[in-house]
Amino acid sequence: MRTRVAIIGAGPAGLLLAHLLHQFGIESVVVEQHTRDHVAGRVRAGVLETVTVDLLARIGLDERLRKEGLVHTGTNISCDDETFRIDFADLTGGASVVVYGQSEVMADLNAAADSRGLDIRYGCDDVALHELDSDHPKVTFTRLGETERIDCDFVAGCDGYHGVSRASIPSHALQTFEKVYPFGWLGVLADVPPAADELIYASHDRGFALASMRSLTRSRYYIQCSLADRLEDWSDARFWDELTLRLGVHAGARVIRGPSFEKSIAPLRSFVAEPMRWGRLFLAGDAAHIVPPTGAKGLNLAATDVIMLAEALAEVILEGRTSGVDHYSARALARVWKAERFSWWFTKLTHRFPETSGIDRRLQAAELDYIRSSRAAQTVLAENYVGLPLTP
Ligand code: APR
Ligand code: PHB
């Protein structure tokens, strides 16, 4: 079969792109390895920057988000037993973020994909990309025992860190940059009211902790853990005890305990692949870059890549101008690297590294104290957290 754009992966990047292209009147086919339930059910972060909210509005999918999303005009930072607030709205001229889980975003994208008749093929095995450096790229895969082939003009690699798209770029044409952090995040979901109205990022002598939420009745908490830890090592009781300690006396006292219904350990990584284009293949989202979750940039970066890619593809497909696709990689990477820098800095500031000695901890505490007392330092944090503007 033939289409304009073959999109590999039906995660947030792939589905957002399919919707945006549809709005431009451009046909696409999405090819996904797993089932829809598998993709939509993964528990991920839940903080949306204004650019991401605006994107959802642009594709007509912000109705439930406006009703159910929680607008946060600030966040809390805690160091041992001291907590202070970063007032985004005051520091950035009114910006805020919206707390709305990625699984909710996925539910909205999927429901609208059905009603708009988007072509999304789940359960595709052995996905392979061909002739990417020609004018006629192709995608092959097997589904329900049959081999299928899609001929297209462009391929969008939205298939995440482990996908086939980045791996299809010859190694001489790709440079990768990577940092693996020597700890993980143990995350817990529980149907209990959150400990505070806004998030709390806690840097404690025993390690990092984060108090987040999905709604006023569902809390999402994380604590830094060892990569050697197994889930069986962390009973709910042990998790709540450790979280409470790390959030400090005031916030810790407000934690409401309850049975967890999801518990997982995730590693932390910074990763960028350059360039984000090879011939007619364009990478977007986790396929091109990974950030550690401190700062919640993963989904937001995928959204901004997709805006830039959709605009570039529309320009070349509808108007025959190639400057957008030619500049896509450089334009996307300029924003990606700033989010990489922020996520790395925020991770370093708040986590306990195995080699952290007395001096490192004192330096962290001094930087946190500086941020607490300096409007200039708070402004730097706030404008990065709410999201840097999309540059032309
Ligand atoms: N063929 C087809 N699909 C594939 C293949 C493949 N070979 N490999 C992976 N996929 C699919 C995955 O099953 C997944 O559904 O690609 C999708 C990639 O989705 P994500 O990993 O979520 O990546 P992305 O859409 O870029 O999302 C970026 O959302 O999920 C979070 O942590 C992620 O915050 C980040 C943001
Ligand atoms: C989350 O709610 O899952 C979350 C929030 C903020 C982060 C990371 C994760 O920085």
Side-chain angles (χ1 to χ4, degrees), residues 61-126:
L61 293 182
D62 60 333
E63 194 185 317
R64 198 160 69 92
L65 163 91
R66 303 271 179 208
K67 263 193 258 157
E68 298 175 17
L70 305 171
V71 175
H72 284 194
T73 58
T75 196
N76 303 293
I77 310 266
S78 109
C79 183
D80 295 330
D81 288 327
E82 288 257 14
T83 302
F84 59 93
R85 180 167 185 266
I86 306 283
D87 189 328
F88 303 146
D90 175 43
L91 293 158
T92 64
S96 56
V97 294
V98 177
V99 171
Y100 190 69
Q102 181 171 313
S103 43
E104 306 306 319
V105 174
M106 290 299 289
D108 297 343
L109 288 168
N110 275 313
D114 291 342
S115 60
R116 294 171 187 179
L118 301 190
D119 189 342
I120 305 175
R121 300 173 185 210
Y122 289 94
C124 301
D125 288 320
D126 308 319

Side-chain angles (χ1 to χ4, degrees), residues 44-47 185 199 201 210 212-214 220 222 293-296 385:
R44 296 279 169 83
V47 176
W185 273 23
L199 273 56
Y201 288 87
L210 170 60
S212 182
M213 64 192 74
R214 290 289 174 272
R220 178 69 165 158
Y222 300 93
T294 330
Y385 195 95

Side-chain angles (χ1 to χ4, degrees), residues 246-285:
R246 294 189 193 181
L247 289 177
V249 279
H250 305 294
R254 287 197 301 269
V255 170
I256 300 170
R257 300 177 181 218
S260 70
F261 64 88
E262 201 271 347
K263 205 184 266 168
S264 54
I265 295 179
L268 275 72
R269 179 191 304 274
S270 295
F271 173 86
V272 181
E274 291 185 352
M276 287 168 63
R277 173 194 187 175
W278 160 250
R280 288 187 171 239
L281 167 68
F282 297 85
L283 303 179

Side-chain angles (χ1 to χ4, degrees), residues 356-365:
T356 301
S357 63
I359 183 167
D360 300 302
R361 181 69 192 143
R362 289 285 195 286
L363 291 168
Q364 272 184 345

Side-chain angles (χ1 to χ4, degrees), residues 117-196:
L118 301 190
D119 189 342
I120 305 175
R121 300 173 185 210
Y122 289 94
C124 301
D125 288 320
D126 308 319
V127 177
L129 316 184
H130 312 272
E131 297 173 53
L132 295 167
D133 54 350
S134 78
D135 289 346
H136 305 287
K138 294 164 186 58
V139 177
T140 57
F141 54 93
T142 57
R143 194 168 59 129
L144 307 171
E146 302 278 318
T147 300
E148 297 183 37
R149 192 182 97 193
I150 301 175
D151 296 354
C152 55
D153 295 334
F154 300 96
V155 180
C158 300
D159 48 353
Y161 182 68
H162 299 286
V164 66
S165 299
R166 193 181 68 251
S168 304
I169 302 178
S171 55
H172 68 81
L174 199 70
Q175 208 179 353
T176 58
F177 303 86
E178 183 169 44
K179 187 185 286 291
V180 178
Y181 296 83
F183 40 72
W185 273 23
L186 169 63
V188 156
L189 267 174
D191 276 331
V192 289

